[in-house]
Amino acid sequence: MSRGPDDVSKLTESTYKNVMEQFNPGLRNLVNLGKSYEKSVTAMTIAGKTYFDAVSKIGENAHKSPASRELGVVLMEIAEAHQKIYNEMEENLKRFHRDIIIELEKKTEMDVKYMNATFKRYQSEHKLKQDSLERTQTDLKKLRRKSQGKHSHKYEIKENEYLETISSRQMDMQKFIADGCREALLEEKRRFCFLADKHCMFSYQMSNFHDKAKEILLDRFPSWQEKCSDISEVPETVSTMIEHLATTPVATPNNMDIPPPAPQLKAQISPLANMFNQEPIFSLPSSPDHNSDQSSLGECNLSRSTSQSSGINVSQKPRVRTIFPHTAGNNETLLSFDDGDIIILLIPEEKDGWRYGELEKTGQRGWFPSSYCRPYTESLISNRGSVVSLPEQNDPMLLPPPDYSDELPSTPMITSAQSVQNLVIRNVLTSCTSFRGGNPFATVKLRPTVTNDRSAPKIH
């Protein structure tokens, strides 16, 4: 393909312009797109790691199951393999940023200045050589016009010199145009070669990445697929457990949680226990507070009648409140408690003065004397929405002996009817007052009752 000097010069100029107007702006756009590509791959890497981290956690849950333990291991191994792949992808992304994006940014900024300067230098040198050639040609034309007269032989030597100069400058011009075109085309090729070489290197890295990823996945893939091929198969330990469960009879409720037998001795009964189970009829002494006491008793009876007539189921299992502390001693079948503790009755029937229950605050179970407690119910919400307090018996009785011998307590019983009546009155008034928000004098210690009956013992 042969071209004239002018055509070659135009090709050189178009090559420089192509680099400056198309290639360099294309590199800038490529750098921006490369940064977007980095962001998208980074986001994909983070999303992939998060996804397979969740897969690993599900595998950990499956590993706790006796039937799905092997599948849990498979899920964790799959997640681990993909985590390694995403780590390799991050390394390739770092190489991409270091070897391509950063290099393109540097080359683009430097190349814009370099190509502008090179193109301007070519244009200026081409113009100087062109102007010099044109001046020589102009001088030759003038010389020839002069030589057309009588003495033409005088200008022959001068004309030959101009012809030689023009020929030399034309050859120099052609050589300059050829060298300029060659340099321009090489500059263009260097840039495309640089871009292609960088991406060839990146392609080689991606090829190694995919080969390594393929090796990581295919190395364990057959064992993974084998473990999840049969959905109906269960491990041998699970099969043994199921067969044992199918052939072993299940314990019935009667065989479960059997309470220990009741103590053989009859429970010690408090000297005042039977007295407070009765409802003595007495008349209150006349005093200024007689009407208020009657109203208090009326409120107490009203509260009791209201709770009984409301029809509310207090609890599925009855409960009692202890009125004396009790120590079991070395007997493991007995229950120890303090005064005021709540016991849930597990056996509603009483056996020889003993009851079997569970201490609410500790969960301990055992037998205890029925005379050491009184029925207990919590406050309930009535049908009309008001709080109805159910009565709670808390009789102040004398403490029984700590052991369970057949001997009677050393403390003599109260035999005076007047003393019994006074104690009952105080008990009822205190119990009824507590329904109206608590007794403010609950901590006041009453003095012993003094009667004219000298046979009555002193109460301490």
Side-chain angles (χ1 to χ4, degrees):
M1 182 179 67
S2 60
R3 291 188 180 183
D6 293 337
D7 294 335
V8 175
S9 180
K10 290 180 181 178
L11 176 62
T12 303
E13 291 183 357
S14 66
T15 301
Y16 280 114
K17 289 181 180 179
N18 180 45
V19 172
M20 292 186 297
E21 296 176 1
Q22 295 184 10
F23 182 80
N24 287 336
L27 283 186
R28 288 196 184 95
N29 187 36
L30 198 62
V31 169
N32 294 330
L33 293 176
K35 291 180 178 179
S36 300
Y37 171 70
E38 282 184 311
K39 292 180 181 179
S40 61
V41 175
T42 302
M44 183 188 70
T45 304
I46 295 174
K49 286 186 174 181
T50 305
Y51 175 82
F52 284 102
D53 184 58
V55 172
S56 179
K57 291 181 180 179
I58 294 176
E60 292 176 1
N61 293 331
H63 187 264
K64 299 176 182 178
S65 172
S68 304
R69 184 170 301 164
E70 292 185 353
L71 296 177
V73 174
V74 169
L75 290 175
M76 288 189 287
E77 289 179 354
I78 291 175
E80 182 183 1
H82 282 275
Q83 293 284 3
K84 292 181 180 179
I85 292 174
Y86 282 111
N87 290 333
E88 290 294 328
M89 185 179 293
E90 284 185 342
E91 293 298 324
N92 285 338
L93 191 62
K94 292 178 182 178
R95 297 191 192 101
F96 172 79
H97 179 80
R98 181 180 63 250
D99 298 338
I100 296 182
I101 300 300
I102 294 180
E103 291 295 326
L104 289 181
E105 283 184 323
K106 291 180 181 179
K107 298 293 184 183
T108 303
E109 297 300 327
M110 295 172 59
D111 194 55
V112 170
K113 298 178 181 179
Y114 174 78
M115 293 302 291
N116 284 328
T118 303
F119 183 55
K120 288 180 180 179
R121 185 186 64 185
Y122 172 80
Q123 286 181 325
S124 61
E125 290 182 4
H126 182 271
K127 189 174 184 304
L128 289 175
K129 293 181 180 297
Q130 184 71 26
D131 292 343
S132 176
L133 179 61
E134 288 178 356
R135 282 197 302 270
T136 304
Q137 290 175 350
T138 302
D139 293 340
L140 180 60
K141 289 179 181 180
K142 291 180 180 179
L143 183 62
R144 285 179 175 177
R145 280 198 297 270
K146 290 180 180 180
S147 64
Q148 292 177 0
K150 297 179 180 180
H151 305 285
S152 59
H153 60 280
K154 296 181 180 181
Y155 300 99
E156 290 181 357
I157 298 174
K158 192 73 173 176
E159 184 178 354
N160 290 334
E161 291 177 356
Y162 277 114
L163 289 174
E164 290 178 0
T165 303
I166 291 173
S167 176
S168 174
R169 290 182 177 177
Q170 284 180 343
M171 292 296 294
D172 185 49
M173 184 68 177
Q174 291 179 0
K175 184 176 182 303
F176 171 76
I177 293 174
D179 291 342
C181 181
R182 181 175 179 274
E183 186 64 26
L185 294 175
L186 286 178
E187 290 290 343
E188 182 187 55
K189 186 176 180 180
R190 289 191 192 100
R191 281 145 185 81
F192 287 110
C193 184
F194 165 80
L195 188 61
D197 180 67
K198 291 296 181 182
H199 285 85
C200 283
M201 181 175 61
F202 178 68
S203 299
Y204 177 74
Q205 293 172 356
M206 290 299 293
S207 175
N208 290 335
F209 162 72
H210 287 292
D211 290 340
K212 192 170 184 179
K214 182 180 179 181
E215 181 181 355
I216 292 174
L217 294 177
L218 293 183
D219 186 25
R220 299 183 180 181
F221 179 75
S223 61
W224 295 342
Q225 196 171 23
E226 181 181 358
K227 290 180 181 179
C228 61
S229 59
D230 191 357
I231 195 174
S232 61
E233 184 181 357
V234 294
E236 184 178 355
T237 56
V238 178
S239 301
T240 305
M241 179 188 67
I242 294 174
E243 292 176 0
H244 178 73
L245 181 63
T247 56
T248 303
V250 181
T252 59
N254 295 329
N255 296 330
M256 298 173 60
D257 198 12
I258 301 176
Q264 297 180 358
L265 297 178
K266 188 175 182 180
Q268 180 69 38
I269 301 177
S270 175
L272 301 180
N274 294 331
M275 177 187 68
F276 287 98
N277 290 334
Q278 299 175 359
E279 295 182 359
I281 302 175
F282 55 87
S283 59
L284 296 175
S286 59
S287 63
D289 299 334
H290 179 70
N291 295 330
S292 62
D293 294 340
Q294 286 183 349
S295 62
S296 300
L297 291 174
E299 292 178 4
C300 181
N301 294 331
L302 177 61
S303 176
R304 182 183 293 107
S305 61
T306 304
S307 62
Q308 293 176 354
S309 62
S310 61
I312 300 176
N313 185 10
V314 177
S315 176
Q316 295 181 355
K317 292 183 179 180
R319 298 189 296 173
V320 295
R321 180 192 291 274
T322 62
I323 58 176
F324 300 131
H326 178 255
T327 303
N330 297 328
N331 195 337
E332 297 180 355
T333 62
L334 300 182
L335 183 64
S336 299
F337 50 78
D338 296 327
D339 183 12
D341 288 344
I342 305 300
I343 301 177
I344 303 172
L345 296 180
L346 302 179
I347 299 179
E349 296 83 7
E350 181 180 342
K351 296 182 180 180
D352 294 331
W354 297 96
R355 286 185 178 275
Y356 185 77
E358 177 182 330
L359 191 60
E360 190 175 56
K361 65 180 182 180
T362 62
Q364 297 179 351
R365 297 183 178 184
W367 294 91
F368 61 94
S370 60
S371 61
Y372 280 54
C373 61
R374 286 293 177 267
Y376 171 76
T377 52
E378 295 178 333
S379 300
L380 299 175
I381 304 299
S382 65
N383 295 333
R384 296 183 180 181
S386 61
V387 177
V388 179
S389 300
L390 296 179
E392 176 182 329
Q393 298 183 3
N394 188 9
D395 300 334
M397 300 182 182
L398 295 178
L399 295 177
D403 58 345
Y404 292 95
S405 61
D406 293 335
E407 299 178 359
L408 294 177
S410 59
T411 305
M413 295 181 59
I414 299 177
T415 57
S416 173
Q418 184 64 30
S419 299
V420 172
Q421 184 176 3
N422 291 338
L423 285 175
V424 173
I425 291 173
R426 285 201 303 271
N427 184 37
V428 172
L429 291 177
T430 303
S431 177
C432 293
T433 305
S434 63
F435 293 130
R436 297 199 301 268
N439 182 10
F441 302 97
T443 58
V444 177
K445 296 183 179 180
L446 299 178
R447 295 186 179 185
T449 304
V450 179
T451 63
N452 295 327
D453 189 356
R454 296 182 179 179
S455 60
K458 293 182 179 180
I459 300 177
H460 298 283

